[in-house]
């Protein structure tokens, strides 16, 4: 059963507008988006906000007759980006907008929604608060990853959740070494290794048995995927650490590097993967009263049967 938003609430007289120009980034091909989107646009226009769509959204909803903006120039045309979708849509938008100063706010039309924390039925009440200047803001850091092959750079990208080196297609273990700040940490055989931010500690890293890191921690967690030795454990390191994963130069199963589960590159024997904190940070907006621990209880069903 879909969750429907009520967009009939009026804006408060004399409210201070903090975010005037609003950009909408949408999950494509989801009928729930269309239902929420039209009401949201009407609500924002009634509040006299300028509203634009990203190009993909404009192509999917050409009848809306709204200006469209390329992602590359989104931050120059908007003060706040509203993300309608799930965490995947949010992660994609966050990576595209990394390095800009635009703030992001997520409306959850996905499943779990660790990053998109406004439910559709709460959109009006939440946005009344946020757009009147009553909100909470926190910053999240990105990881940047590069792959060196025989000293040559093969790729460079960023991730808000995680950078993952993993085998694929075949049930054989990868053999690799892990270095932190040029110090050898481990030689191991495993299905791969997850390098995650505190934001990503509740994603793949959590499924792999890693700890949950509070988002304010300046730390990175490394979680082995199905290691061959029982002594292999997740390790949390200082946030400015430089992490290197070096694939063994011998025969290796097919392997990939994946950023946030969305961007991939095929790896080869001997590849050196370098991961470190990116200097750019994400501005994440929450409605007032946002409680990280309440969110964990809700999303992870803690205490449900207590």
């Amino acid at each position: 059963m879909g969750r429907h938003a009520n967009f009939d609430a009026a804006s408060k007289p004399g409210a201070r507008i903090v975010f005037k120009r609003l950009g909408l980034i949408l999950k494509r091909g989801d009928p729930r988006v269309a239902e929420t989107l039209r009401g949201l646009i009407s609500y924002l226009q009634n509040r006299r906000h300028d509203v634009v769509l990203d190009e993909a959204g404009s192509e999917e909803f050409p009848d809306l007759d709204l200006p469209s903006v390329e992602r590359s120039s989104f931050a120059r045309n908007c003060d706040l980006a509203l993300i309608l979708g799930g965490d995947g849509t949010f992660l994609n938008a966050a990576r595209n907008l990394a390095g800009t100063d635009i703030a992001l706010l997520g409306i959850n039309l996905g499943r779990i929604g660790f990053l998109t924390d406004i439910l559709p039925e709460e959109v009006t009440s939440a946005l009344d608060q946020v757009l009147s200047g009553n909100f909470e803001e926190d910053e999240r850091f990105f990881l940047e990853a590069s792959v060196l092959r025989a000293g040559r750079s093969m790729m460079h990208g960023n991730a808000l959740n995680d950078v993952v080196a993993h085998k694929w297609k075949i049930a054989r273990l990868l053999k690799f070494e892990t270095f932190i700040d040029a110090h050898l940490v481990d030689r191991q055989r495993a299905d791969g290794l997850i390098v995650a931010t505190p934001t990503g500690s509740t994603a793949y890293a959590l499924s792999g048995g890693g700890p949950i890191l509070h988002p304010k921690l300046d730390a990175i967690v490394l979680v082995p995927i199905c290691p061959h030795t029982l002594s292999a454990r997740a390790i949390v390191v200082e946030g400015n650490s430089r992490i290197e994963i070096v694939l063994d130069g011998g025969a290796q199963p097919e392997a990939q590097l994946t950023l946030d589960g969305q961007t991939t590159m095929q790896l080869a024997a001997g590849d050196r993967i370098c991961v470190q904190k990116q200097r750019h940070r994400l501005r994440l907006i929450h409605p007032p009263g946002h409680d990280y621990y309440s969110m964990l209880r809700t999303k992870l069903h803690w205490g449900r049967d207590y």
Side-chain angles (χ1 to χ4, degrees), residues 17 20 31 91 141 161 171 179-180 216 220 231 257 267 282:
I17 296 179
K20 173 61 178 173
L91 288 168
F141 69 81
N161 263 359
F179 296 84
I180 297 175
K216 289 186 179 180
I220 298 170
S231 61
L257 185 73
L267 297 171
L282 171 72

Side-chain angles (χ1 to χ4, degrees), residues 31-306:
R32 295 172 298 174
V33 170
E35 186 175 5
T36 303
L37 176 64
R38 298 180 190 280
L40 175 60
I41 291 171
S42 176
Y43 164 82
L44 294 174
Q45 290 177 334
N46 285 340
R47 288 189 58 113
R48 301 185 183 278
H49 290 277
D50 299 326
V51 183
V52 301
L53 284 174
D54 76 326
E55 277 195 325
S58 184
E59 291 172 2
E60 187 155 350
F61 298 97
D63 61 309
L64 292 176
D65 194 30
L66 287 174
S68 66
V69 178
E70 295 181 0
R71 290 277 181 95
S72 59
S73 59
F74 213 73
R76 294 196 299 271
N77 291 274
C78 306
D79 305 312
L80 175 67
L82 299 178
I83 316 299
L84 280 72
D87 283 346
T89 307
F90 193 100
L91 288 168
N92 180 267
R95 288 198 314 278
N96 290 161
L97 298 172
T100 70
D101 193 45
I102 190 171
L104 275 67
L105 175 65
I107 298 171
N108 186 15
L109 297 176
R111 289 173 296 184
I112 299 179
F114 282 102
L115 292 167
T116 51
D117 52 12
I118 297 178
L119 299 177
E121 62 267 24
E122 298 171 352
V123 169
T124 294
S125 58
L127 288 182
D128 270 343
Q129 294 283 336
V130 171
L131 298 178
S132 298
N134 186 16
F135 58 85
E136 298 180 13
E137 178 175 346
D138 72 83
E139 292 187 340
R140 307 291 179 89
F141 69 81
F142 293 88
L143 295 174
E144 59 181 13
S146 58
V147 177
L148 298 177
R149 183 172 298 164
R152 179 185 173 193
S153 177
M154 303 301 296
M155 72 90 69
H156 188 88
N158 59 18
L160 180 61
N161 263 359
D162 47 43
V163 175
V164 183
H166 60 103
K167 58 93 174 173
W168 63 300
K169 281 190 176 181
I170 189 169
R172 288 180 55 201
L173 300 176
L174 289 177
K175 186 177 180 182
F176 57 90
E177 296 178 326
T178 306
F179 296 84
I180 297 175
D181 295 329
H183 297 287
L184 176 64
V185 176
D186 197 3
R187 295 186 179 94
Q188 63 178 292
R189 291 164 57 86
D191 281 355
L193 184 69
I194 304 165
V195 182
T197 65
T199 301
S201 69
T202 52
Y204 192 6
L206 182 62
S207 299
I212 295 175
L213 304 184
H214 191 280
K216 289 186 179 180
L217 285 175
D218 185 13
I220 298 170
V221 61
L222 284 68
V223 182
I225 307 169
C226 299
H228 192 252
T229 58
L230 296 178
S231 61
R233 290 291 184 267
I235 180 172
V236 178
V237 299
E238 197 268 331
N240 289 318
S241 301
R242 178 178 172 84
I243 298 153
E244 293 180 89
I245 306 161
V246 183
L247 298 186
D248 187 78
Q252 293 272 24
E254 292 181 289
Q256 286 184 336
L257 185 73
T258 303
L259 309 181
D260 283 344
Q262 297 177 343
T263 302
T264 62
M265 174 196 164
Q266 188 166 350
L267 297 171
D271 278 357
R272 179 179 295 266
I273 303 152
C274 303
V275 184
Q276 60 189 2
K277 184 199 297 182
Q278 191 179 62
R279 64 183 181 86
H280 303 302
R281 288 181 173 263
L282 171 72
R283 294 176 60 205
L284 185 56
I285 302 298
H286 305 286
H290 174 74
D291 182 343
Y292 179 72
Y293 301 106
S294 175
M295 182 273 292
L296 288 180
R297 285 198 308 274
T298 300
K299 306 300 184 183
L300 299 177
H301 308 299
W302 288 350
R304 171 183 280 182
D305 300 321
Y306 184 77

